Amino acid sequence: MSGIETTDLHKRYDDGTRQIHALRGIDLVVDPAEFIAVVGTSGSGKTTLLNIVGGLDRDYSGRVEVGGRDLEQLGESEIADLRNRTFGFVFQQFHLLEHLTVEENVRLPGFFGGDDAGDRAEQLLEQVGLEDTGAASPARLSGGQQQRVAIARALYRNPSVLLCDEPTGNLDRRTGLEVLELFGRLNREHDVTIVLVTHEEHIADMAERIVRLEAGGVVSDKRSDEPIRD
Amino acid sequence: MRIRKGLQWVGQSIRRSGRDVVLSSVGIVVGISTLLLFTALGAGVKGVVLEDVFSVRQLEVVPRSMGVAESMANRLLGGGEPGLDDDTLERIRQIDGVTAAYPRMKLTFPSSVRGGRDILGQDLVLELVADGIPADVVSKDLQQTFTVEDCGEGADPCRQPIPVIANPRILEIYNSSLKTSMSGARGALSKLPDLSESMLVGMEARAVFGRSFLGRSARGGDPEERRLRLVGFSAEAIDLGATMPIEYVKRLNAQFGEQGGQDTYHSIVVRVGSNKAISDVVSTLTDDMDLELGGDYQQARRAGRLIDVVTLIFNLIGIVILGIAAVNIMHTFYRMVLERRGEIGLMRAIGATPAEIRWLILGESTVIGLIGGVAGLAVGYGLMGLGDWIFATRVADFPFKPDTLFLVEGWMVAVALTAALVSCWLGALLPALRASRLDPAEALTRR
Ligand SMILES: Nc1ncnc2c1ncn2[C@@H]1O[C@H](COP(=O)(O)OP(=O)(O)O)[C@@H](O)[C@H]1O
Ligand SMILES: [Mg+2]
């Protein structure tokens, strides 16, 4: 079980002409098995925060700890292993590989990192409600189904944290809510920590805690009185 | 990442890019087939030229020609010219790889020969150029006896004719060139007949040893007149002249030639068992024994070098094609890396290290190299078959015409495959580096 803690986290982008101060001193603690939504308008720094926490962006100042380990101290292969085992990523663009079958896509994390815990693809597809699509091409599935394949892929290594960047951004409202319910279930039944980044308020409402970003800073951090129920 | 999983990933990845793989391989196929074709052609032609045309398995050793200063110094010190004697002959026979060696000795004083009335209608008188070889070198290939007549101790120079052999090339030259050029001559010479070996064998001529147009023997004494009898033709005979059993030459040189000349040979013919042994034998002869090799070998060497140069030029063309193929692969892979930015970002997100990204892309180029290399070898073999077929059916027969122009050896295949792989790796190296350096966060958001 890995908690996440950021201390005075700053991020500056330098695109040659100007500097963008995208994160301005974020102090955030995410406890294990929490379901947290990070909301804010476009450009407020949500994706930047998620990428730094997930070890995809290592160029920041301040301190980020995952499971008590300072990310800065980790080498290239240790951080890759962290992404492989501790985190599962879910993106707005599902990033499925169209030349592979659904099942092969789910198995992709198994190619990297150390030894396999066995092939969980079928089981995971069942868990996300796609039991009969394993041999299909992802291109033949609906958007909601594709995102569920991506979630199954993110779960392949049995991670303790799912980092989800606008996972419903490409889905219609109803499908988006279905995906949300899946996250809720994973959180409740499997104690998976969910960090959900979104700009849609109704999506954030499903989380037990909502952190609001504005211009790279945390402006509010609320626990919802009524966490989601079935 | 384990090797097996890496291969699996590469397999999955390359399945989709069929068109790119084919396009990338084309250059490799052309380059590799060119390399193989011309290397095999060079080796094949060289084999024919060196073995059949020049027969390098037979070397002719001559004494080392000395510079003027060296020669003067030798004289002053009373050393005399370096020579080939029985001792040298014995040492040559001991060299590993040498199967036989025999000496040649020339007549070292002026002599002339008169004859030809039977064929030409009138006698010709010519300067006699002659040498001697051990009779047993050729005697079994001749119909008539080629031996030294035993005249008995102290007997008058024996009255039997001296058996001589001639080189078949003389006949070729006579039949093809001389006859034509004499057709406008005055008298009987204008109607020279075609000659064959059988017409000439048995003919006799009269030789005068110790005197000719050009002078007399320095030793003085009366010239000796002897009959010569042509007993056959052999490639071992001197090119333009007559070859007799070497004992005659020794005796005549002792009588008319320079003092001591009867003990030194003018050359030693060395036969080598296998092509592989030649270079070792040559280096023993030239480096260790300080001898020189006669003209044929030098010519063969020159021909061999010429073939090497031509082969090299065509190989360079093959390498240039491979270079172009590598550049082409580089473009294809750069494009692929660009197209797969999102995929590469995803790979990083699910746990790939930059090094793994690099190896996976190099792995894909390895597959292209292997496919292109094997296809290139296949095309090369096909072209060789076609070449041999055209050569066999369309090119008229000529002396030494071989069954195949090509010689493929294991190392050529190995070198060709290596070249295919290396050019693919070179082409994919920079794109692979770029891919491994992609910022995964940026690659995933597709800015
Ligand atoms: N690679 C980048 N280069 C330059 N500026 C960037 C880059 N990524 C993000 N930004 C800037 O950083 C700020 C935060 O961006 P981001 O984290 O993507 O916000 P959000 O995900 O909340 O929309 C924005 O002003 C954005 O323009
Ligand atoms: Mg964003």
Side-chain angles (χ1 to χ4, degrees):
Chain A
M1 288 286 98
S2 306
I4 299 166
E5 181 168 0
T6 73
T7 316
D8 195 24
L9 177 61
H10 286 264
K11 169 73 185 184
R12 286 179 182 82
Y13 289 109
D14 192 349
D15 64 356
T17 51
R18 63 201 178 109
Q19 269 215 358
I20 296 164
H21 200 167
L23 297 181
R24 305 170 183 238
I26 307 260
D27 298 302
L28 185 68
V29 178
V30 180
D31 290 327
E34 227 180 346
F35 188 156
I36 175 173
V38 178
V39 295
T41 52
S42 178
S44 56
K46 308 181 295 293
T47 298
T48 304
L49 175 62
L50 205 67
N51 284 342
I52 291 174
V53 164
L56 287 172
D57 182 352
R58 308 197 64 191
D59 178 25
Y60 58 84
S61 63
R63 189 177 167 87
V64 181
E65 274 179 34
V66 174
R69 298 205 293 168
D70 184 354
L71 292 196
E72 194 137 46
Q73 306 299 318
L74 301 185
E76 199 66 74
S77 67
E78 287 169 305
I79 204 103
D81 199 59
L82 192 77
R83 294 191 299 247
N84 184 241
R85 288 170 181 280
T86 304
F87 293 123
F89 291 87
V90 180
F91 305 98
Q92 179 174 355
Q93 306 94 343
F94 321 121
H95 286 301
L96 299 177
L97 306 191
E98 310 239 307
H99 62 283
L100 303 180
T101 65
V102 164
E103 213 170 82
E104 285 168 338
N105 267 284
V106 174
R107 265 189 224 118
L108 286 179
F111 277 102
F112 302 100
D115 37 39
D116 237 322
D119 188 358
R120 307 173 63 224
E122 239 175 285
Q123 177 202 334
L124 287 168
L125 283 173
E126 205 182 304
Q127 203 175 332
V128 300
L130 290 172
E131 37 277 339
D132 295 325
T133 60
S137 159
R140 306 184 59 125
L141 305 184
S142 70
Q145 288 174 316
Q146 290 194 33
Q147 191 59 299
R148 279 187 279 161
V149 174
I151 293 167
R153 178 184 64 196
L155 293 170
Y156 189 78
R157 287 294 211 174
N158 210 6
S160 47
V161 183
L162 276 193
L163 300 176
C164 316
D165 192 354
E166 309 271 9
T168 59
N170 277 355
L171 306 178
D172 61 49
R173 198 181 170 96
R174 229 197 63 210
T175 326
L177 286 174
E178 278 169 24
V179 165
L180 251 302
E181 257 158 46
L182 179 56
F183 286 138
R185 195 152 45 85
L186 289 169
N187 176 244
R188 267 175 283 116
E189 292 173 10
H190 300 278
D191 281 342
V192 179
T193 310
I194 310 275
V195 180
L196 173 73
V197 158
T198 181
H199 66 277
E200 296 169 283
E201 301 290 337
H202 73 277
I203 296 290
D205 287 343
M206 310 284 285
E208 48 185 17
R209 179 181 166 199
I210 298 177
V211 171
R212 190 170 297 279
L213 286 191
E214 248 172 55
V218 176
V219 292
S220 79
D221 188 345
K222 284 186 200 151
R223 283 180 191 280
S224 92
D225 306 328
E226 201 191 20
I228 46 168
R229 294 272 170 257
D230 290 281
Chain B
M1 189 183 225
R2 298 279 160 77
I3 301 265
R4 190 180 53 80
K5 285 187 178 173
L7 293 178
Q8 208 180 331
W9 180 288
V10 168
Q12 282 182 352
S13 188
I14 213 159
R15 265 197 332 234
R16 95 187 98 160
S17 28
R19 205 181 54 105
D20 282 340
V21 172
V22 169
L23 284 180
S24 302
S25 304
V26 169
I28 301 292
V29 172
V30 176
I32 292 305
S33 53
T34 310
L35 265 188
L36 180 69
L37 188 70
F38 287 108
T39 309
L41 181 64
V45 170
K46 201 166 159 183
V48 172
V49 168
L50 296 193
E51 258 175 63
D52 300 344
V53 180
F54 287 108
S55 68
V56 284
R57 283 204 207 167
Q58 181 157 315
L59 303 166
E60 191 163 8
V61 172
V62 296
R64 204 164 68 81
S65 45
M66 287 188 298
V68 175
E70 202 179 345
S71 161
M72 292 236 315
N74 241 335
R75 291 238 171 88
L76 288 172
L77 299 170
E81 301 279 337
L84 303 168
D85 51 17
D86 283 323
D87 186 42
T88 323
L89 183 61
E90 204 40 52
R91 275 162 57 213
I92 289 176
R93 284 184 176 139
Q94 303 299 326
I95 298 174
D96 268 352
V98 170
T99 53
Y102 67 86
R104 305 192 75 105
M105 185 186 283
K106 291 178 189 155
L107 288 184
T108 55
F109 54 88
S111 306
S112 63
V113 63
R114 164 191 293 267
R117 181 189 293 272
D118 293 349
I119 290 165
L120 306 174
Q122 66 189 68
D123 272 338
L124 284 180
V125 183
L126 297 169
E127 195 70 18
L128 176 61
V129 178
D131 72 353
I133 59 175
D136 55 2
V137 172
V138 291
S139 55
K140 58 187 172 304
D141 300 328
L142 302 172
Q143 275 100 33
Q144 304 201 359
T145 50
F146 181 69
T147 50
V148 185
E149 296 295 328
D150 184 11
C151 302
E153 249 332 283
D156 217 28
C158 144
R159 291 298 107 189
Q160 290 294 322
I162 298 177
V164 298
I165 56 174
N167 198 301
R169 280 189 219 179
I170 297 181
L171 268 186
E172 271 168 46
I173 292 168
Y174 167 86
N175 282 332
S176 57
S177 313
L178 187 70
K179 198 161 68 75
T180 317
S181 67
M182 295 300 280
S183 58
R186 220 183 305 162
L189 285 177
S190 67
K191 296 189 203 58
L192 293 174
D194 259 341
L195 294 181
S196 68
E197 290 188 11
S198 56
M199 286 168 69
L200 297 176
V201 170
M203 260 184 46
E204 291 195 0
R206 298 196 72 78
V208 179
F209 295 110
R211 191 184 64 210
S212 77
F213 307 116
L214 300 179
R216 296 177 66 98
S217 163
R219 299 276 291 280
D222 288 335
E224 179 181 332
E225 243 187 88
R226 285 292 296 268
R227 281 185 295 147
L228 303 181
R229 181 183 167 82
L230 184 65
V231 300
F233 288 84
S234 164
E236 306 293 340
I238 193 170
D239 274 349
L240 286 173
T243 292
M244 54 185 79
I246 196 164
E247 288 80 358
Y248 287 107
V249 179
K250 284 186 178 176
R251 184 180 68 75
L252 289 164
N253 279 348
Q255 194 175 336
F256 298 103
E258 210 180 325
Q259 202 89 47
Q262 71 272 23
D263 296 323
T264 51
Y265 303 118
H266 293 96
S267 67
I268 293 173
V269 176
V270 181
R271 290 194 180 141
V272 183
S274 72
N275 281 342
K276 293 217 182 337
I278 289 172
S279 59
D280 282 347
V281 170
V282 166
S283 78
T284 309
L285 290 172
T286 54
D287 300 344
D288 302 350
M289 299 183 65
D290 210 17
L291 299 167
E292 224 166 71
L293 293 171
D296 256 15
Y297 178 76
Q298 307 294 356
Q299 251 174 301
R301 276 254 299 249
R302 238 171 278 139
R305 274 201 213 109
L306 185 69
I307 293 167
D308 283 346
V309 168
V310 173
T311 306
L312 194 69
I313 290 172
F314 279 107
N315 279 347
L316 282 180
I317 294 175
I319 287 168
V320 167
I321 295 173
L322 282 181
I324 295 170
V327 172
N328 174 38
I329 284 172
M330 188 165 76
H331 284 304
T332 307
F333 272 68
Y334 266 135
R335 181 166 48 71
M336 249 164 50
V337 167
L338 213 65
E339 282 170 4
R340 296 189 195 167
R341 270 171 61 94
E343 179 180 330
I344 292 167
L346 175 83
M347 286 159 75
R348 298 291 301 280
I350 61 177
T353 63
E356 282 167 341
I357 303 279
R358 210 155 47 227
W359 282 115
L360 290 174
I361 289 178
L362 288 178
E364 282 192 45
S365 76
T366 304
V367 173
I368 291 176
L370 285 176
I371 293 175
V374 169
L377 289 179
V379 170
Y381 272 106
L383 288 175
M384 282 187 248
L386 186 68
D388 274 342
W389 179 76
I390 290 174
F391 184 68
T393 55
R394 297 290 153 87
V395 177
D397 271 352
F398 60 88
F400 310 119
K401 183 176 176 183
D403 294 334
T404 176
L405 291 170
F406 305 96
L407 175 67
V408 181
E409 289 176 348
W411 65 266
M412 297 178 193
V413 174
V415 166
L417 278 182
T418 309
L421 287 175
V422 166
S423 43
C424 282
W425 287 330
L426 286 180
L429 193 62
L430 291 179
L433 281 177
R434 174 176 292 184
S436 72
R437 287 184 188 147
L438 276 184
D439 177 355
E442 264 182 74
L444 280 164
T445 47
R446 299 197 184 171
R447 265 164 207 282

